[in-house]
Amino acid sequence: MIFDQLSPVQKNVLIASIIGDGEITKRYTRSRRKNHSYREHYGRGQEAYRQWKASFFPDLLYLTPKSQTLRSRSHPLFTELYPYFYDEQGQKRIPLSLLPVCTSPHFLAVLYMDDGSLCITRSINHREKKIYLAPHIYLYLQNYPLEQLNHLQQHIEKQFGFSFLPYRRRDGHGYILRFTATRDTYAFLQFIEPVTRTCPSMLYKTNWPWRLAVES
């Protein structure tokens, strides 16, 4: 497999990216392309993050700023990976057989920076005239059925020791993953910090002291 020739970090970044914001675009009948390709749209504010991602694949991924897309040319790697990430109807799915490869902090860091959010709960103590801010992490993966999210949650807990819980939503398949305890959020951010410190454009998600200062 071409995938086996990637480094462990490249495998973890790529799998998390395809689970998250990325997609594998198919080679259609009568197309001049020989293989599938990769595509990931982004907003202007996240161009630096996509440049950071592309730096892991200098010979594979590149940015087209005009269309705000991180992409690849047609490549046999993505033809190879397509059936792991899509069912026969073309619906995206968690690549269960590839999860054992996902053992690096890069996997959690990219999955979080793609589809996660650092949400803030606020409470007011009027007697003491204080406002308390507490961080909670959510992974907005509602485009996957609960059964698949459970497999992902179990892998993360077994491999990394973090226990996400399903949380109901009205959109998608009805569920996302989240932490309920702030101590889990602190531990998670600390765990991925060696990776996320190299991507300063995502400070608002990954650096709680910085975010706390902004919110305060």
Side-chain angles (χ1 to χ4, degrees):
M1 292 180 65
I2 299 173
F3 180 73
D4 290 337
Q5 299 172 23
L6 300 178
S7 72
V9 167
Q10 286 177 319
K11 291 176 183 177
N12 278 258
V13 171
L14 187 58
I15 292 172
S17 294
I18 300 175
I19 291 175
D21 289 340
E23 63 175 325
I24 298 176
T25 59
K26 288 185 67 175
R27 171 193 173 275
Y28 292 100
T29 305
R30 298 181 182 177
S31 171
R32 302 174 105 183
R33 297 192 305 167
K34 294 182 178 181
N35 289 285
H36 300 345
S37 60
Y38 181 83
R39 182 172 61 195
E40 183 176 329
H41 294 292
Y42 59 86
R44 288 291 181 194
Q46 291 202 335
E47 184 170 305
Y49 171 51
R50 266 56 189 198
Q51 289 174 335
W52 177 83
K53 268 194 187 182
S55 70
F56 291 96
F57 307 93
D59 300 321
L60 183 64
L61 301 183
Y62 62 96
L63 273 70
T64 52
K66 187 175 181 180
S67 63
Q68 297 176 245
T69 307
L70 173 66
R71 65 172 74 243
S72 77
R73 295 178 175 83
S74 64
H75 196 283
L77 171 63
F78 298 109
T79 302
E80 181 181 287
L81 288 177
Y82 183 87
Y84 290 91
F85 289 91
Y86 295 86
D87 63 21
E88 294 180 355
Q89 289 72 45
Q91 297 296 312
K92 208 172 180 184
R93 61 186 176 187
I94 302 290
L96 302 184
S97 60
L98 294 181
L99 289 182
V101 176
C102 302
T103 59
S104 165
H106 286 79
F107 174 74
L108 289 185
V110 172
L111 188 65
Y112 170 59
M113 289 191 286
D114 265 29
D115 278 344
S117 180
L118 184 60
C119 298
I120 312 297
T121 57
R122 300 168 177 82
S123 60
I124 301 174
N125 186 319
H126 292 283
R127 176 181 295 179
E128 297 182 9
K129 296 184 178 180
K130 290 182 178 180
I131 300 175
Y132 295 91
L133 304 176
H136 300 279
I137 283 177
Y138 290 73
L139 296 179
Y140 290 99
L141 297 167
Q142 61 266 35
N143 54 320
Y144 296 105
L146 179 60
E147 180 183 357
Q148 294 183 30
L149 289 184
N150 285 337
H151 284 291
L152 178 61
Q153 181 273 332
Q154 290 164 13
H155 171 75
I156 292 174
E157 183 170 13
K158 180 180 179 180
Q159 180 62 46
F160 301 103
F162 296 109
S163 299
F164 283 96
L165 295 175
Y167 181 71
R168 280 190 175 274
R169 291 267 298 190
R170 292 185 178 180
D171 56 341
H173 287 279
Y175 287 91
I176 60 175
L177 297 177
R178 71 164 183 172
F179 287 140
T180 55
T182 55
R183 66 177 178 273
D184 294 329
T185 294
Y186 297 141
F188 182 87
L189 294 178
Q190 184 178 21
F191 180 76
I192 64 173
E193 193 270 339
V195 179
T196 58
R197 77 160 76 106
T198 67
C199 186
S201 66
M202 299 297 280
L203 275 176
Y204 69 99
K205 281 190 180 185
T206 61
N207 188 308
W208 172 239
W210 182 89
R211 180 70 179 275
L212 177 60
V214 172
E215 295 290 337
S216 296

